[in-house]
Each structure stands twice: as C-alpha cells, then as structure tokens.
Amino acid sequence: MNRLRELFPWSVIIIAFLLILFLPVSEHKVHLTTRILIFGLYAIAFNILFGMTGLLSLGSALFYGFGAYVTGMMTKSFGGDYFIYLLLFGAFSCFILAVPLGLLCLRLTDVYFTMLTFAFGQLAWGACIKLYYFTGGDDGIQGIPRMAILESTKSYYLFVFLVVFLSLIILWKISKSPFGQVLNGIRQNRNRITFLGLNVYKHQFLAFLISAFFTGLSGGLYSGLDGSIHPNMFFWTQSGSIILMVILGGINSFFGPLIGSIIFILLEDYIGKTTEYWPFFLGTIMLIIVILFPKGILGTISNFIKGFSSKREIGNGCHS
Amino acid sequence: MDVILEIKNLNKHFDGIYVSKNIILKIFKGSLTAIIGPNGAGKTSLFNLISGYIEKDSGKIYFQGMDISDKKPENIASMGIVRAFQVANFFPDETVYDNVLVASISLFKKSTNFLADKYSFKNIREHTDMILKNLNLFEKRDLKASELSHGDQKILDIAMALTLSPKVLLLDEPTAGMSPDERKSMVKVIKELHKKFNLTTLFIEHDMDVVFGIAEIIRVMVRGEIIAEGTAEEIRNNPMVIESYLGKEV
Ligand SMILES: Nc1ncnc2c1ncn2[C@@H]1O[C@H](COP(=O)(O)OP(=O)(O)OP(=O)(O)O)[C@@H](O)[C@H]1O
Ligand SMILES: [Mg+2]
C-alpha cells in the first residue's frame, strides 16, 4: 500500500511528461514544458534548503546563473558535442563554488543568512555585467550549440526530462535518508539537533552543496534550451520567482515545487501573452492562491487526503 | 566509587547576578542525584554550563577525567553527557518514531548517509524500538509529536536523550507540569532506567515527594551556590535548607 502510494506521483510524472512527446502539440508548448521541468528541478533543489532545512536563500540564482554560464560558455567554445559533459561540469563548478559561499553564509542564521545570500547573488549579477569581454555583459551570450542528436525541440525535451527525472530520484532518496531526516530536524528545532550530538553547521553545509549542484544543473539545462543566456539569470528576482513557485506548490511536500513551477510558468506564459501588465496579474493570482491554499496547492490537497484516511492508519506503522 | 563528572570552582554570572558561584561538585558513576532549589537559583544554568550551551566565566568541568570545559555542546553530547529539557524539546512535525529515530541516527553515526532509506538499518530500527518500548511510547509511535499529551512530550524528550546511550543523564524537572498519575509513572521510569542501565543520573526537581522518593543524594542550590548535600534524611533536617528553601513545607 505504501509502496504504491510512493510510486504514484512518479508514474504521474512519467506518463504526463512523456505523453507530450506523442501529442500533436506546438513547438511552443514543448518549449514551455521543458522550462517547467527545468524550473521544477531548480525549485526542488532550492527546497532542500528552504522546505527541509529551513534556510531561506535569496541567492539561489547565483548557482543557477553560474551553472548556466559555465556550461553555456564552455559549450560555445568546445562545441555542442561536449554539452553533456559540460552540463555536469557546470553543476560540479557550482558545487565547488558553494564550498566557500556556504561556509561563509551559514555562519549567519535566519534573516542574516538570507541577506548575505542576497548580497552574494547581486554581486555575481554585477560581476556578470561588468566582465563584459568575458561574459558579454548585458547582451549575454547567444548561439550556444547543441549536440546533433539533441537538435530538435522534442529531443532536447526528452533529454531534459531524463536529466530532471534522474535528479529528482536522487533528491527524493536524499529526502528519505538519515541525512534528510536530520535536515528536517534542523528546520524544526536546531537546538535539539545540537543536543543530540549533531553538528548543525556541518549538515546545513552539506545541504547547501547538494542544493547548489542541482541548481547549477538546472541552469546548465537552460543554457542549452535557447542557446542563449543573460545576466538576469543571476538577478535576485530569479531567486524570488523560485521562492514563489515553492510556496505556491507547497514547501512541505517533495513534489510541491514542481506543481508550483507548472502553475507559475503557465500563468506567466498565458498572462504575458494577454497583457503587458502581467506582473500585476501574476501577483494578484499568486496572492489568491496563497490565501486559498495556505500550505501550498499540493500541501493542502495532501492534508485533505490525509485527514480522510488518517483514522484507518493509526497503529499500523510502516517502520516495523 | 569512580567520579564520572567533576566540577571545579565553576563561576557564571548574568549582569552581576551569580547563577553559579564557585560550584564544586563530584558525581559518582551510577549515582542518582537530585538538585533542588528555589526558582532562579541557577539549576538550569548549571545544566547549560555542563552541556556546553552557555560559556562559563571561570572554572573547570571534567568528564571521566577529561577537561570538557571548552567543548561544543554537540561534542559533549556525543561524548555521553546528554540532557532532557525543562520544557519538552522535540521535533513537533515528526512522528514519535521519527523523533527517536533522529537520535538513533546520531548514535549510529549515520547522519551524513544521504542515499540509504532511513528505515533500512536494522540496528537503528532495533535500538529505536527498544527505547520506545522501554518508555511506553511504542503504541504511540505513529502519532505526531505535537499531538502527544504534555506528559508524553516530556517522556519523548527523555526518550531521545536515552537513545544516545548516555553515560551521564541530565534531567531538568522531568515531572514539571504533569498530572499526579503521570508523575508517578515518570518516577517509576526514572528509577527503572537508573537500575536497568546503571545510568548516572542528575535531575532537577521541585516536587519534594519525587525528590525524597528516588534520589540517593540531594544537593540544594540557592542563588548559584550549593548550600547543602546529603541523603533525604540529612537534607530534611538541615536547618539551613529549611530556612532558605523548604520553609514550612516539611
Ligand atoms: N541566558 C541568560 N541571560 C540572562 N539571564 C539568564 C540567562 N539564563 C538564565 N538567566 C537568569 O539566571 C537566573 C537563574 O536561571 P535558571 O534558569 O538557571 O534558574 P533555575 O534554578 O533553573 O530556575 P527554575 O526553577 O525556575 O527553572 C534567573 O534569574 C534567570 O533569569
Ligand atoms: Mg530551571
């Protein structure tokens, strides 16, 4: 029963996202769904820090942008054939960059951590614009090539799906691991974790590295999508929209951020086409959703289902 | 008998008010000691100092002969000095089982294992079950910790401490806020645990029935100083203690 329930969301994801490949949908829709997947990965990676560990970073775009630029710039100079390796290399670079940044930012707690991540994110954005000869400054970089087999929109979509799906399995495993349990403990009561003999800083730091790796991976995937990257990928509003997605979908459920990404991207696309005041409408709709679903859409739904079936469950535990 | 915990000339003040004044304390291995004293005497602060949560002004703390005065709280805990709290301290959103599981994960040093399933370790599962059964929480293991009764939350806090297989257990008012029935069962639990694991236990307590009922040695703390120590009989008849703390109670 529990196995089945665990497999359910995965089957929905596989069916829903692969079905699109066989439907007669426009290139634009496939492109949109690719973005949903990329931001879904980004949002879930972000939520390892936020929803699990209780660390609100306003600088996640730093790793998103850095992953995108490392992968994008190197693919441009080495050629599209190396894209897959450079994608991993970009993610790994973020992991390395997260070492000093994590050590520093995590020295601070709560809102001070948030402010410091914000500062570093903006610093990276500024540097990206200023280093004109290296990064192309405001213009960003265009014409990043793709591997021959990933040429078509659909094949790239399939590739992104596979990478995101694999990443989600790893992140899912992490969330169910002893390490994940400790992160949940840190969020709820870091003091208690300390007195259980565990070093809060160390575990937060590891969470920071993991989150940076997968955020960088999502950035790299984006660099291959349009073959174009720009400094705004580092900008704090990018970090901000990820926070919105995560809150929309529900911070306490693993797949919540993916739902948030779907809603956010679809809304942005639809409203963006209809009116030029889209940020205003987007904001209003978000507000309504957050008020109607205080625990996020998935959080509220799963609470509802749990309330329905909880009576039957007490006493037949899943651990023994 | 071996001294397991020794405190030498410990001093600590907050804004000139002493919470520890030249405290000298020897705790013997396997002993069951009560610390009593009026509100604000510095009892919790003493636990905070021992467990490394607050910094002392001066003095030394030795655990099994080793100086631990400058160690971090998490290191002191993993060395074997483990505490439970005056206000039950746990992970509210987790089940009772997962609360204790976190402590087991710490004991078996699996906290950085990030790819295995948290329920997949046989030794961790067995240890967790053992603790839950010993503290009568096993039937409640699937309840959310925040939904437990106040008394059970205190027991859960103590269960987590015990999970770490402590060498010295510090209990801060284990029966505070409990109903008389809960109190009785808590007293029984403490006695049993002490016997079963020959566990060195220090507990702070206001309830004199509890104190006189279980403690082998009682230490009385007033304004940061330990003014008396002895058996229940000796403490009851100590004029200084009667004057400054017990008053007309006894
Ligand atoms: N971190 C702190 N900063 C400032 N003052 C503190 C701090 N911790 C404790 N105190 C003060 O030190 C005194 C002793 O507090 P402590 O909690 O140790 O008392 P206690 O003996 O445990 O009392 P109770 O029986 O009420 O729990 C109190 O007056 C308290 O206000
Ligand atoms: Mg106290």
Side-chain angles (χ1 to χ4, degrees):
Chain A
M1 183 62 207
N2 271 302
R3 260 287 123 77
L4 254 166
R5 189 177 306 167
E6 265 185 27
L7 287 178
F8 177 71
W10 295 103
S11 359
V12 171
I13 289 177
I14 294 178
I15 294 169
F17 283 101
L18 286 186
L19 202 61
I20 289 171
L21 283 174
F22 304 102
L23 293 179
V25 290
S26 64
E27 289 257 313
H28 175 70
K29 290 263 156 55
V30 177
H31 186 272
L32 206 65
T33 318
T34 316
R35 287 182 57 211
I36 286 175
L37 281 171
I38 292 174
F39 282 112
L41 173 60
Y42 180 178
I44 288 181
F46 168 80
N47 209 35
I48 294 283
L49 276 187
F50 185 45
M52 282 184 83
T53 321
L55 288 165
L56 178 57
S57 162
L58 249 180
S60 64
L62 187 153
F63 296 113
Y64 176 66
F66 194 69
Y69 268 77
V70 170
T71 303
M73 286 167 67
M74 289 184 77
T75 307
K76 193 164 180 183
S77 44
F78 287 107
D81 289 347
Y82 297 95
F83 178 69
I84 293 180
Y85 306 105
L86 295 174
L87 189 64
L88 275 175
F89 184 79
F92 193 67
S93 311
C94 286
F95 183 88
I96 301 294
L97 180 65
V99 172
L101 288 180
L103 287 175
L104 260 165
C105 294
L106 290 166
R107 281 280 158 214
L108 303 182
T109 48
D110 306 324
V111 67
Y112 303 101
F113 168 81
T114 306
M115 291 311 290
L116 195 56
T117 53
F118 172 77
F120 275 117
Q122 290 303 90
L123 199 71
W125 173 73
C128 182
I129 287 181
K130 284 272 145 47
L131 296 172
Y132 186 86
Y133 291 103
F134 193 49
T135 61
D138 265 339
D139 305 334
I141 291 169
Q142 281 78 35
I144 299 162
R146 276 208 303 243
M147 282 172 139
I149 48 161
L150 299 181
E151 218 30 81
S152 78
T153 311
K154 277 198 172 171
S155 63
Y156 193 67
Y157 171 77
L158 183 63
F159 173 72
V160 169
F161 174 81
L162 290 176
V163 174
V164 170
F165 192 76
L166 253 168
S167 305
L168 292 195
I169 288 178
I170 296 172
L171 289 167
W172 168 264
K173 285 205 141 226
I174 291 173
S175 78
K176 299 289 165 195
S177 70
F179 176 65
Q181 180 68 60
V182 171
L183 296 186
N184 274 316
I186 292 176
R187 179 190 77 244
Q188 290 166 59
N189 187 346
R190 53 182 285 156
N191 208 2
R192 195 70 185 97
I193 289 285
T194 302
F195 287 107
L196 289 177
L198 296 169
N199 187 322
V200 170
Y201 183 64
K202 176 174 118 183
H203 293 87
Q204 286 178 329
F205 176 62
L206 293 174
F208 195 85
L209 297 185
I210 292 170
S211 179
F213 180 89
F214 287 102
T215 305
L217 191 63
S218 70
L221 286 173
Y222 204 93
S223 78
L225 179 61
D226 298 328
S228 119
I229 48 184
H230 48 89
N232 276 356
M233 295 178 84
F234 285 98
F235 201 57
W236 72 270
T237 51
Q238 178 62 66
S239 312
S241 17
I242 287 300
I243 298 176
L244 268 180
M245 289 179 206
V246 169
I247 291 176
L248 270 181
I251 63 170
N252 291 325
S253 53
F254 182 81
F255 293 107
L258 181 62
I259 305 288
S261 159
I262 295 173
I263 295 166
F264 188 95
I265 304 268
L266 290 183
L267 272 181
E268 191 188 52
D269 179 65
Y270 180 72
I271 303 173
K273 262 191 288 194
T274 338
T275 154
E276 58 178 304
Y277 302 115
W278 71 269
F280 171 75
F281 285 98
L282 196 62
T284 313
I285 291 175
M286 297 269 168
L287 205 67
I288 293 171
I289 295 182
V290 169
I291 289 170
L292 286 182
F293 301 93
K295 291 197 156 178
I297 289 181
L298 203 58
T300 309
I301 292 174
S302 79
N303 262 17
F304 182 74
I305 296 171
K306 258 184 217 150
F308 233 62
S309 61
S310 68
K311 291 231 164 56
R312 278 183 298 119
E313 264 172 48
I314 288 177
N316 71 66
C318 51
H319 343 282
S320 32
Chain B
M1 267 201 289
D2 294 337
V3 175
I4 187 161
L5 185 68
E6 183 171 12
I7 297 175
K8 279 187 179 164
N9 307 92
L10 189 68
N11 284 292
K12 174 74 189 176
H13 71 87
F14 291 115
D15 309 319
I17 297 166
Y18 274 84
V19 289
S20 286
K21 204 166 180 182
N22 213 20
I23 299 244
I24 296 171
L25 197 60
K26 270 187 188 158
I27 303 294
F28 292 102
K29 205 170 175 175
S31 62
L32 183 55
T33 309
I35 297 175
I36 62 173
N39 290 112
K43 305 178 297 294
T44 299
S45 299
L46 179 64
F47 278 11
N48 285 341
L49 287 161
I50 295 173
S51 60
Y53 187 54
I54 57 176
E55 242 174 271
K56 62 187 175 1
D57 297 334
S58 63
K60 291 266 180 232
I61 302 171
Y62 296 94
F63 172 58
Q64 296 180 318
M66 188 206 265
D67 184 358
I68 57 159
S69 346
D70 297 315
K71 292 223 182 299
K72 287 192 188 140
E74 59 265 31
N75 297 333
I76 293 173
S78 44
M79 284 170 79
I81 303 178
V82 181
R83 67 185 290 192
F85 295 79
Q86 187 164 348
V87 177
N89 200 345
F90 52 89
F91 308 110
D93 301 341
E94 306 288 331
T95 60
V96 168
Y97 188 93
D98 284 351
N99 265 272
V100 177
L101 185 71
V102 180
S104 296
I105 287 169
S106 170
L107 177 72
F108 289 99
K109 307 220 175 308
K110 290 280 184 275
S111 72
T112 52
N113 185 319
F114 63 93
L115 289 177
D117 184 289
K118 64 186 174 189
Y119 301 125
S120 67
F121 302 94
K122 191 156 176 269
N123 50 3
I124 288 184
R125 268 197 336 256
E126 281 171 359
H127 188 69
T128 307
D129 287 350
M130 187 274 287
I131 294 287
L132 289 170
K133 281 177 185 152
N134 263 298
L135 290 174
N136 304 319
L137 286 173
F138 193 69
E139 302 303 317
K140 298 173 181 152
R141 66 191 182 281
D142 290 327
L143 292 179
K144 224 168 124 180
S146 58
E147 287 162 2
L148 290 177
S149 72
H150 180 80
D152 280 339
Q153 290 180 342
K154 287 287 277 189
I155 294 178
L156 175 61
D157 186 356
I158 294 173
M160 290 160 81
L162 278 169
T163 307
L164 297 183
S165 301
K167 298 194 173 97
V168 174
L169 179 63
L170 309 174
L171 300 176
D172 197 344
E173 302 197 20
T175 71
M178 286 187 177
S179 68
D181 277 351
E182 287 176 330
R183 237 164 241 244
K184 255 184 225 143
S185 79
M186 178 59 91
V187 168
K188 217 178 111 213
V189 166
I190 295 174
K191 265 184 175 166
E192 275 173 13
L193 289 172
H194 171 67
K195 241 209 227 127
K196 198 183 270 173
F197 301 106
N198 190 29
L199 184 57
T200 312
T201 310
L202 240 82
F203 70 101
I204 295 171
E205 188 53 72
H206 275 299
D207 187 317
M208 285 307 134
D209 292 338
V210 174
V211 174
F212 291 135
I214 56 181
E216 296 165 342
I217 310 168
I218 299 165
R219 291 183 157 90
V220 186
M221 199 169 182
V222 178
R223 267 176 251 117
E225 280 181 282
I226 292 182
I227 60 161
E229 62 178 86
T231 61
E233 202 52 34
E234 289 163 350
I235 293 297
R236 238 183 273 211
N237 299 321
N238 184 320
M240 219 161 53
V241 177
I242 295 171
E243 187 199 333
S244 61
Y245 181 50
L246 296 178
K248 287 134 242 152
E249 250 181 70
V250 192

